[in-house]
Amino acid sequence: MEAIVLAGGFGTRLRPLTYRMPKALVPVAGRPMIMHLIDSLPSEVDKVVMAVSYMRDALESHFKENPVDGVEMVFVEEREALGTGGAIKNVEKEISGDFLAFNGDIISSVEPMALYGMLKEKSAKAVISLWKVEYPSHYGVVDLGPDMRINRFVEKPAPGEEPSNLISAGAYALSYDVLDLIPSGRVVSLERKIWPILVEKGMYGLPFEGYWTDAGTPERVLEANAILLRNTGKEAIVDENADVRGEVLPYSSIGNAVVKDGAVVENSIVMDGSTVKSGVKVKDCIIGPKMDVKRDCEGEVIA
Ligand code: GDD
Ligand code: MG
């Protein structure tokens, strides 16, 4: 089975970090976030089509150096970012039947085969995973009927205008002929243009339990990091080559980096080649690669 992974966004909410690396390669719990998604794919998936535009080379080299067992990884050229819908259309020639698709920045316990099963059972055009949140207006929000049919989909509604608390969790099972609905060669938003058409034709939603986050903002990258560490029963992950003399507090991930005497790193990510100087306190921060942190920081992205 084929799966498309959308990983070509600019990662604007993670700048300046994403001027240096694509969002998909930002390490979360010790691995590039995209790897958590790839690892969670069902065994039925034997081909992953990476829809990448921004910083494609970095992603392609990552997978050249770290091939995924039993999965063919395909990269398709997308010169200009075509939006989530345009990116799916752009990889059409790699798809041969009904398929799965994922936003590349989700960390979750979603079961893609349950979406696929529902696609078949309902003879639907699309089944999307749904997650309940307290503040839905940052996401795509659905009005779900009792038969699990989606009556309405609104992308990022104004606060107070959300039809429910159920949001699209960024994992989809799609019928092959959905590709015919997307115009080619131009920017198309799946959420704003294609989902509303599919709502008319038969789009279903499947809520799931467990954990979910969209690691698209600094706060949510750290939340994803904490969720994954807690899931594995760890309070921190420290690279085996790291040199840690200071304190590392939950929930932190330290790459091949240096944490000097008396330094404290709490609920933060410190990437390869960085140094946290003596006595410096780092809290709720994302420290990009090769940074020297010489002063205390809280809630910052330093890259
Ligand atoms: N190839 C390609 N080209 N990929 C893209 C492009 C593009 O032009 N634009 C975005 N992407 C990728 C991003 O890299 C990301 O992995 C995914 O598509 C979703 O884009 P985001 O920018 O992260 O969207 P969002 O988080 O604001 O909203 C989306 O995700 C929410 C759940 O996580 C929407 O799908 C919402 O409906 C949904 O609720
Ligand atoms: Mg996102």
Side-chain angles (χ1 to χ4, degrees):
M1 181 186 291
E2 292 139 353
I4 299 175
V5 176
L6 295 168
F10 295 105
T12 44
R13 292 163 292 184
L14 287 175
R15 285 177 182 165
L17 181 62
T18 40
Y19 287 127
R20 300 185 61 192
M21 56 168 67
K23 174 161 70 172
L25 293 185
V26 170
V28 172
R31 313 188 65 205
M33 73 166 82
I34 191 83
M35 296 317 292
H36 297 288
L37 173 64
I38 301 283
D39 285 351
S40 72
L41 293 177
S43 57
E44 286 84 351
V45 172
D46 52 8
K47 176 173 174 182
V48 171
V49 185
M50 296 292 300
V52 181
S53 175
Y54 180 64
M55 290 204 181
R56 168 185 161 189
D57 291 352
L59 261 159
E60 210 168 345
S61 355
H62 167 78
F63 281 105
K64 273 210 184 97
E65 285 158 29
N66 304 277
V68 185
D69 250 9
V71 178
E72 181 196 357
M73 301 287 307
V74 179
F75 285 78
V76 179
E77 172 97 41
E78 180 186 329
R79 260 190 221 131
E80 305 271 307
L82 291 172
T84 46
I88 286 188
K89 182 69 175 179
N90 187 54
V91 303
E92 180 173 26
K93 67 175 192 317
E94 298 293 341
I95 301 298
S96 61
D98 298 348
F99 59 101
L100 299 173
F102 300 89
N103 291 351
D105 59 351
I106 57 164
I107 298 287
S108 81
S109 57
V110 70
E111 283 179 34
M113 289 315 287
L115 303 174
Y116 192 77
M118 191 173 188
L119 186 80
K120 299 287 163 189
E121 180 201 326
K122 303 275 189 190
S123 301
K125 293 291 170 201
V127 179
I128 70 173
S129 57
L130 300 175
W131 182 255
K132 203 175 247 180
V133 295
E134 200 174 340
Y135 303 106
S137 69
H138 302 295
Y139 304 101
V141 191
V142 303
D143 170 17
L144 190 67
D147 56 352
M148 314 301 257
R149 196 169 165 155
I150 294 174
N151 298 319
R152 197 154 80 91
F153 183 94
V154 202
E155 182 66 10
K156 305 196 174 88
E161 285 173 23
E162 308 93 335
S164 76
N165 278 349
L166 278 177
I167 62 152
S168 160
Y172 323 113
L174 300 174
S175 154
Y176 184 49
D177 54 13
V178 164
L179 293 168
D180 296 336
L181 299 171
I182 311 176
S184 61
R186 59 180 160 105
V187 177
V188 183
S189 160
L190 209 51
E191 296 82 358
R192 294 177 197 277
K193 286 279 181 291
I194 306 304
W195 292 163
I197 300 175
L198 289 177
V199 164
E200 301 297 316
K201 294 181 182 284
M203 178 160 167
Y204 290 78
L206 190 59
F208 66 99
E209 304 278 318
Y211 61 93
W212 179 85
T213 187
D214 164 325
T217 65
E219 297 74 29
R220 290 196 251 118
V221 167
L222 292 174
E223 185 189 324
N225 185 60
I227 290 174
L228 289 171
L229 287 177
R230 261 188 253 119
N231 284 352
T232 51
K234 291 183 183 147
E235 295 195 329
I237 285 189
V238 177
D239 186 276
E240 54 180 17
N241 297 311
D243 179 6
V244 175
R245 310 283 165 98
E247 239 184 313
V248 175
L249 301 178
Y251 285 97
S252 298
S253 296
I254 314 289
N256 183 1
V258 179
V259 179
K260 298 232 166 159
D261 254 2
V264 182
V265 177
E266 181 179 355
N267 196 49
S268 294
I269 295 173
V270 180
M271 298 183 205
D272 292 352
S274 285
T275 300
V276 181
K277 298 279 188 203
S278 294
V280 168
K281 301 209 169 11
V282 172
K283 188 169 187 262
D284 307 333
C285 288
I286 302 175
I287 313 291
K290 297 187 192 150
M291 302 304 298
D292 264 344
V293 188
K294 299 178 185 147
R295 55 160 178 90
D296 291 357
C297 54
E298 187 170 340
E300 286 176 58
V301 177
I302 300 182

